[in-house]
Amino acid sequence: MADSLQGKAAIVTGGGRGIGRGIAHVFAEEGASVLVVNRSVDAGQTVVEEITAKGGTAALFQGDVKSKADMEGMAAACLENFGAIDILCMNAGIFPAALIADMSEEIWDEVLDTNLKGLFFGAQACIPHMKEQKSGRILVVSSITGPNVGWPGLSHYMASKGGADAFIRGASLEMAKYGVTVNGVAPGTIMTDGLRELGGDALEEVRQIIPMGYIGEPEDIAYALLYFASEQARYVTGQILIVDGGQILPESPTALADA
Ligand code: NDP
């Protein structure tokens, strides 16, 4: 086990599977005590057990990022379990596809409330503690989908992630004088359960336009976040790092043919 986060207390929302599970493992391997936040208890508890079986420290908080009360409970649980909130990593997100013409108001609200309003509730719950301790790291898992590229059927998701990037910059301005940095990682296509549920053909098509030739793993995102979480990144704030194997670079689907 390395120790770049030794003694730190970290919250990871959506830590029960996918990218969040990868973040929880990597942060714990680096010495952080990790509060895994998830709606489903079984998935979250499994990650907690995986981490503790490897000698790490983790606890579960069952909560929904759409709920202000749950986010306040999450902050309280982290303080109760680990005595501090050094890192808040807001990863929980959903991406149900729906064309604008067919989209219900409920789906629009569900996506915006989870992916964007959840950032507000999560940050608001943890900021008082970080201000008081005059240090902290707020991390957001954004996306290339919205800020950089897009899919028909994901306009709600794209709006939420564009909003997430703007939130990162706004929050970074408010928190800088307290020694708290706010940064994000924008994943390209990462192999997770959520993505597998979208279906196989689309995944193969995407793989073909990724210059590095393969779909990323949750740990690829976790290691980028680890940099932002580290002491070494103390002077970096308001930034969003794209981690996508070069996915947004080709100008056309055939651009890689001669490479
Ligand atoms: P998954 O669907 O695999 O995992 C999402 C996790 O978030 C689950 O553990 C889920 O558990 C939890 N979650 C969902 N909604 C809530 C909620 N309201 N409150 C608390 N927890 C919640 O998704 P990914 O790992 O693929 O995605 C994670 C993040 O990465 C998202 O923000 C997504 O937008 C972003 N991303 C993913 C990409 C990819 O290619 N996979 C690409 C770009 C960005 P439960 O339902 O039990 O709560």
Side-chain angles (χ1 to χ4, degrees), residues 83-168:
I85 307 170
D86 298 300
I87 301 161
L88 167 65
C89 181
M90 296 191 282
N91 157 82
I94 56 170
F95 31 91
L99 296 172
I100 295 168
D102 308 324
M103 195 187 301
S104 66
E105 188 177 344
E106 286 69 27
I107 291 192
W108 174 272
D109 286 345
E110 179 80 9
V111 170
L112 270 289
D113 286 357
T114 306
N115 299 1
L116 187 54
K117 199 175 185 182
L119 303 182
F120 161 55
F121 286 153
Q124 194 176 54
C126 297
I127 274 174
H129 179 78
M130 289 181 172
K131 269 178 153 176
E132 199 180 308
Q133 68 182 13
K134 291 213 171 334
S135 67
R137 297 283 187 268
I138 297 176
L139 311 172
V140 174
V141 177
S142 180
S143 181
I144 59 169
T145 307
N148 305 97
V149 294
W151 285 98
L154 287 181
S155 62
H156 47 352
Y157 179 85
M158 294 168 69
S160 74
K161 294 299 186 178
D165 286 5
F167 181 84
I168 289 166

Side-chain angles (χ1 to χ4, degrees), residues 14 17 19 38-40 64-65 91 142 157 161 188 190 192 194:
R17 66 177 198 172
I19 292 174
N38 221 49
R39 286 174 308 182
S40 97
D64 188 328
V65 298
N91 157 82
S142 180
Y157 179 85
K161 294 299 186 178
I190 304 298
T192 64

